[in-house]
């Protein structure tokens, strides 16, 4: 099979990356609206809009409609190339701001920003000027680059957009390569940078294919399949990788935070049930409450309940339960929550007995440490075998303390 036929089999509709980019924008849209004052989120949203616009306007049906609507053959060419140039400039600006921090106002950052805005603004203007001087009467929907590769002004227009795109990809690859080697990056950011690096490297394959096809026309050869069959699917794959690279760090970190919040909420369940049974209250259920709000309400309920139980907490029992846990081979990190769990269970029993017996002393011990370790204590309550072993050891030494 010839390379041209093999490339023909790699066809990917431009609507696929457009749909992926739209989905990525939809995922980010709630955060962008909620945190509209965050310039980095706005920049990511703008970049996704530009990338989506590139593939929408580069789709053959859209090219035909735009040319018909304007009455100018090949009017879509400078339009699509301008969108590509704007996307390239936006990528460079976003990577610079993302890496240095949006609040960075150093001379180097300001100079880089001015350079990117100036250069790519000039590229966009030059594209339209060259198109105005060019003679391109024959509409070419799929092979404009190679068909007009030797036409005055169109030739320069094609070379200019390819050069601007190649330079942006090379600079982006270098910035990402240097950044990914830095220490202190979380897994999500590092993964996103890797996807971006692969995406921009794939874009260089697109540029090489286009440049080779155009160069072949200059020398009288025909390698149009590189431009019409190989370059488009490469561009689609690159766009998907770049979109995923920008989205992964934000989405991954968000899902990671949500996962930790839900896990903490679940881990607090044993202690919540114990304190709920002791106080007779409960956290009111709100259908639309966020996981963060539910976690905060559960933590608040538990701490309030422990404050009500404070007068029944026996610190001497807590110390002896800790010693018993250590004697059973538990290290300090596990022994302390186990001791607190045993002490709270004893306090709940003491409070229940106080309703029919003499009231407990009015002085309340300091339970600040206990309030700070409620999640560890709740996890210890799940280890029922360990708790029974500690209670049995303490009861063997002083049965009265556990009733």
């Amino acid at each position: 099979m010839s390379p041209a036929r093999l490339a023909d089999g790699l066809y990917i509709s431009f609507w696929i990356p457009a749909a992926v980019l739209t989905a990525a924008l939809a995922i980010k849209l709630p955060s962008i609206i909620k945190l509209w004052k965050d310039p980095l989120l706005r920049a990511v949203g703008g970049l996704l809009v530009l990338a989506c616009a590139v593939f929408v306007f580069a789709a053959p049906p859209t090219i035909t409609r735009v040319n018909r609507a304007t009455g100018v053959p090949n009017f879509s060419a400078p339009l699509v190339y301008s969108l590509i140039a704007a996307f390239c400039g936006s990528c460079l600006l976003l990577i610079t701001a993302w890496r240095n921090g949006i609040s960075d106002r150093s001379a180097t950052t300001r100079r880089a920003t001015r350079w990117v805005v100036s250069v790519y603004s000039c590229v966009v203007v030059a594209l339209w000027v060259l198109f105005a001087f060019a003679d391109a009467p024959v509409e070419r929907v799929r092979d404009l680059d190679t068909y007009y590769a030797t036409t005055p002004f169109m030739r320069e227009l094609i070379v200019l957009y390819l050069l601007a795109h190649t330079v942006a990809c090379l600079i982006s690859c270098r910035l990402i390569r240097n950044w990914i080697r830095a220490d202190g990056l979380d897994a999500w950011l590092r993964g996103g940078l890797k996807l971006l690096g692969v995406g921009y490297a794939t874009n260089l394959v697109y540029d090489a294919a286009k440049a080779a096809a155009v160069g072949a026309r200059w020398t009288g050869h025909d390698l149009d399949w590189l431009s019409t069959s190989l370059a488009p699917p490469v561009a689609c794959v690159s766009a998907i990788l770049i979109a995923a690279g920008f989205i992964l760090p934000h989405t991954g970190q968000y899902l990671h935070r949500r996962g930790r919040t839900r896990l903490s909420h679940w881990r607090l369940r044993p202690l919540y049930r114990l304190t709920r049974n002791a106080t007779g209250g409960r956290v009111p259920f709100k259908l639309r409450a966020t996981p963060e709000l539910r976690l905060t309400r559960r933590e608040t309920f538990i701490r309030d309940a422990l404050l009500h139980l404070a007068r029944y907490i026996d610190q001497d029992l807590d110390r002896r339960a800790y010693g018993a846990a250590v004697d059973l081979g538990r290290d300090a990190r596990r022994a302390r929550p186990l001791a607190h769990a045993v002490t709270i269970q004893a306090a709940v029993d003491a409070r229940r007995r106080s309703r029919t017996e003499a009231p407990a002393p009015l002085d309340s011990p300091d339970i600040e440490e206990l309030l700070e370790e409620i999640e560890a204590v709740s996890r210890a309550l799940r280890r029922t075998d360990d708790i029974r072993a500690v209670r049995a050891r303490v009861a063997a030494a002083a049965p009265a303390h556990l009733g």
Side-chain angles (χ1 to χ4, degrees), residues 253-271:
Q253 291 166 2
Y254 168 78
L255 293 177
H256 180 66
R257 288 194 301 269
R258 276 296 176 94
R260 291 184 61 181
T261 299
R262 292 183 184 277
L263 180 60
S264 296
H265 189 269
W266 176 78
R267 285 174 173 171
L268 287 173
R269 186 180 180 187
L271 185 55

Side-chain angles (χ1 to χ4, degrees), residues 187-232:
W188 295 109
L189 178 56
R190 195 178 296 276
L193 290 174
K194 289 180 179 179
L195 286 174
L196 283 175
V198 175
Y200 283 112
T202 306
N203 252 335
L204 291 175
V205 176
Y206 166 87
D207 293 325
K210 286 284 187 178
V214 171
R217 281 290 184 135
W218 292 349
T219 58
H221 297 83
D222 185 355
L223 292 177
D224 289 7
W225 64 272
L226 289 173
S227 176
T228 57
S229 299
L230 178 62

Side-chain angles (χ1 to χ4, degrees), residues 306-316 346-347 350-351 353-355 357-366 401:
L306 291 176
L307 289 173
H308 286 297
L309 287 171
R311 61 188 299 185
Y312 300 99
I313 289 179
D314 187 342
Q315 288 187 314
D316 180 61
R351 184 179 187 274
R353 290 195 306 271
S354 70
R355 295 175 181 175
E357 301 176 3
L362 294 178
D363 57 320
S364 298
D366 183 9
H401 283 278

Side-chain angles (χ1 to χ4, degrees), residues 7-22 51-52 54-63 65 142 228-240:
D8 285 338
L10 300 176
Y11 174 77
I12 300 177
S13 172
F14 278 8
W15 298 113
I16 294 178
V20 172
L21 291 164
T22 302
C52 188
V54 168
F55 284 95
V56 169
F57 284 95
T62 308
I63 290 175
R65 291 191 185 96
R142 298 180 183 273
T228 57
S229 299
L230 178 62
V234 169
C236 292
V237 172
S238 174
I240 294 172

Side-chain angles (χ1 to χ4, degrees), residues 110-124:
R110 291 197 302 270
R111 185 165 57 251
T113 301
R114 287 196 300 267
W115 181 86
V116 171
V117 172
S118 300
V119 168
Y120 281 89
S121 296
C122 291
V123 168
V124 171

Side-chain angles (χ1 to χ4, degrees), residues 74 77 81 140-149 154 158:
N74 301 308
Y81 296 160
R140 308 302 301 184
V141 176
R142 298 180 183 273
D143 62 347
L144 183 139
D145 292 341
T146 51
Y147 186 86
Y148 288 109
M154 285 296 292
I158 295 165

